[in-house]
Amino acid sequence: MNPSQQNQDREQTLSELAAQIRRQQLAGVACMILEAVEPVAMLASQVALFAQPFAPNSGWQRYLGALGDEQSWHSLRRMVDQPEC
């Protein structure tokens, strides 16, 4: 998979996660958590990568993979933030 395809897949996965958060009416809580995580987004991305093996064959593994870099946390916050916060 080439880098542009990986970026598209990551953005799609983050968009789906943001939609799930809004659908469950958790956007306000998610915004607070993502805002608190923002200063340590690099550490949070490493935790997400570390947690991947503990979520085999589940939908969470895809989300954890998508959150495996610092920029993804910022993107998710922006996506969740748009409609509600």
Side-chain angles (χ1 to χ4, degrees):
M1 193 179 297
N2 64 39
S4 66
Q5 180 65 34
Q6 286 177 334
N7 286 339
Q8 280 183 321
D9 289 347
R10 178 173 286 138
E11 288 295 314
Q12 177 65 30
T13 301
L14 292 174
S15 179
E16 290 172 14
L17 181 57
Q20 285 274 27
I21 289 169
R22 287 191 302 272
R23 199 171 16 257
Q24 298 296 322
Q25 299 179 347
L26 296 171
V29 173
C31 284
M32 288 189 316
I33 292 169
L34 291 168
E35 190 172 312
V37 168
E38 196 164 3
V40 291
M42 201 283 259
L43 180 60
S45 65
Q46 296 302 306
V47 169
L49 289 174
F50 175 79
Q52 263 188 309
F54 299 106
N57 303 322
S58 74
W60 284 104
Q61 189 172 28
R62 206 176 67 160
Y63 296 136
L64 292 170
L67 291 169
D69 71 71
E70 184 176 356
Q71 188 58 39
S72 294
W73 289 90
H74 301 297
S75 296
L76 179 62
R77 184 176 188 278
R78 181 178 34 80
M79 289 175 186
V80 171
D81 204 19
Q82 286 176 348
E84 185 170 324
C85 294

